[in-house]
Amino acid sequence: TGKDVIVTLCGYFNKDEVLNHAVEFAGDGVPSLSIDDRLAIANMTTEWGALAGVFPIDDVTFEWLEKRIGFVEKRGLAGVPSDIDGSGEHPRMNRVRLDELKSHPVTADEDAFYAKELKLDLGSVTPHVSGPHHVKVMTPVPQMKDVKIHKAYLVSCVNSRVQDLAEAAQVVQGKKVSDGVKFYIAAASSEVQAESERRGDWQTLLDSGAIELPPGCGPCIGLGEGLLEDGEVGISATNRNFKGRMGSKQAEAYLASPAVVAASAIAGHMAMPFAMETSEIKASIQMAAKPAAGESSVTIIDSFPAAVEGDVVFCHLDNLNTDGIYPGKYTYIDDFTPEQQAGVVMENYDPEFGKLVK
């Protein structure tokens, strides 16, 4: 699945190869990836370290847009009138825009410079588990079978779409969640949940013992029901397993595909959803020399200080993740004051940090 691909990329190319780069996906494997797969991969390029992850506009894209435009024309988008811009059409999901894309597809410039070329043989990808605490370590699922889990999550924007829920439902069909395990499900949107219910997948998951949560964000950002507690191990189809993000800093969160998460919820430990031999990952990287650039200068704008003086605190960790800098669970507290924000800064990195700085 797309999740297996991005977990592999994060775990194999784990030496900051893509840090601060934009990643363009290309190659003969791209047409085999559904839009859901592509969305999962592009979503997690952030955790990989990239600034952006983009896929080409191709026949798979056009087919998805055709269906989506048909849906919008039939129902409107989430109850919003389709002529919200006054033109009688949705401003983005309309046939004029689709025809324009087909006539003038967005592509990279012919002379575009690529700093690196990373190759991954999709045929060598097998299900892996990522973590805990970051995405740079991955382990084949069979090697994790002795790791007991307490909670399993099929939630969030990255892997709780219709296709994901269908894959999980197929795994749990006719089975029950293991004793001592709580299996949480939340669709990526209310629209996704409605479609999953229509297909029967949602009910299959509930029949297995899954616990329904509202669609949208929740445990992934450390809010609401189902957070990890001290000493617990969770396996999740979300995009981030940063320390403390999904609850206690004394818990361990691992990432995996929806099918692996579902199989683990049934088994009570990390488990494969089907029999499959693991293979050696076939991947490589090729660097490119950047053409010499001409000299440039920088003008400092008026009122901007040319120098800044003061004491600094050194944090001995490369590429500190966002939850280490500012825990996600505070992000959506609307009335959180600046003083309260200052009090929790760097909390997941060092609880004493706020007392050390001005």
Side-chain angles (χ1 to χ4, degrees):
T1 66
K3 184 56 162 278
D4 293 312
V5 172
I6 189 61
V7 165
T8 300
L9 287 170
C10 291
Y12 188 90
F13 296 106
N14 60 3
K15 301 292 191 298
D16 296 335
E17 289 90 342
V18 301
L19 185 66
N20 294 332
H21 289 68
V23 179
E24 177 188 335
F25 293 96
D28 58 7
V30 169
S32 70
L33 298 169
S34 68
I35 292 297
D36 279 3
D37 284 328
R38 298 180 191 191
L39 288 168
I41 293 169
N43 184 309
M44 273 191 64
T45 53
T46 301
E47 286 68 41
W48 191 15
L51 296 175
V54 297
F55 277 88
I57 294 176
D58 58 9
D59 289 341
V60 176
T61 318
F62 293 141
E63 181 181 354
W64 185 89
L65 286 170
E66 287 274 8
K67 291 180 179 178
R68 188 64 190 168
I69 290 170
F71 174 84
V72 171
E73 289 175 339
K74 183 178 180 181
R75 288 183 47 188
L77 188 60
V80 178
S82 60
D83 61 345
I84 55 177
D85 66 343
S87 66
E89 294 180 324
H90 190 280
R92 288 179 293 114
M93 293 294 173
N94 60 68
R95 301 201 176 274
V96 173
R97 190 162 187 260
L98 178 58
D99 291 341
E100 177 66 20
L101 279 173
K102 288 182 176 180
S103 301
H104 303 91
V106 179
T107 59
D109 295 339
E110 290 184 6
D111 61 347
F113 171 77
Y114 295 93
K116 307 168 187 178
E117 184 175 290
L118 283 63
K119 287 187 178 180
L120 173 65
D121 181 349
L122 296 183
S124 69
V125 174
T126 57
H128 281 66
V129 172
S130 172
H133 305 322
H134 52 73
V135 299
K136 292 185 177 182
V137 174
M138 66 174 180
T139 309
V141 175
Q143 294 181 22
M144 300 291 284
K145 67 180 187 300
D146 293 331
V147 178
K148 174 181 169 57
I149 66 165
H150 303 89
K151 288 170 181 169
Y153 303 90
L154 181 52
V155 301
S156 92
C157 57
V158 64
N159 267 133
S160 198
R161 299 187 177 87
V162 174
Q163 177 180 309
D164 305 316
L165 296 167
E167 290 170 0
Q170 187 175 1
V171 171
V172 306
Q173 181 79 47
K175 302 171 184 175
K176 293 293 183 181
V177 173
S178 176
D179 292 340
V181 174
K182 291 183 177 179
F183 181 25
Y184 296 96
I185 60 172
S189 69
S190 56
E191 183 186 312
V192 166
Q193 181 170 334
E195 176 61 16
S196 183
E197 289 173 348
R198 187 192 68 79
R199 292 168 51 102
D201 297 327
W202 193 259
Q203 190 59 49
T204 297
L205 291 165
L206 294 178
D207 290 343
S208 75
I211 301 168
E212 179 179 350
L213 297 178
C217 295
C220 174
I221 56 171
L223 293 178
E225 183 182 350
L227 304 187
L228 288 172
E229 298 178 11
D230 290 357
E232 288 189 330
V233 174
I235 187 166
S236 176
T238 54
N239 50 7
R240 296 189 171 183
N241 53 359
F242 301 156
K243 190 174 184 178
R245 178 174 174 86
M246 297 186 71
S248 170
K249 288 179 291 202
Q250 279 68 53
E252 292 186 343
Y254 293 84
L255 304 180
S257 70
V260 170
V261 168
S264 301
I266 298 298
H269 55 82
M270 297 190 191
M272 287 282 282
F274 42 76
M276 183 181 189
E277 289 192 17
T278 58
S279 60
E280 183 179 351
I281 295 168
K282 297 177 182 177
S284 62
I285 182 171
Q286 183 175 340
M287 310 290 289
K290 189 171 185 177
E295 292 186 3
S296 62
S297 61
V298 175
T299 302
I300 299 177
I301 61 174
D302 292 341
S303 79
F304 195 89
V308 178
E309 295 181 356
D311 299 327
V312 298
V313 176
F314 177 70
C315 302
H316 58 287
L317 184 66
D318 289 337
N319 307 322
L320 180 64
N321 64 61
T322 54
D323 280 80
I325 298 168
Y326 188 79
K329 63 185 178 182
Y330 301 118
T331 303
Y332 298 95
I333 303 177
D334 293 336
D335 57 353
F336 216 45
T337 66
E339 291 74 24
Q340 288 174 306
Q341 293 175 34
V344 299
V345 69
M346 308 289 274
E347 183 179 87
N348 285 337
Y349 170 77
D350 178 4
E352 301 297 311
F353 186 89
K355 302 174 184 176
L356 302 175
V357 297
K358 297 175 184 177

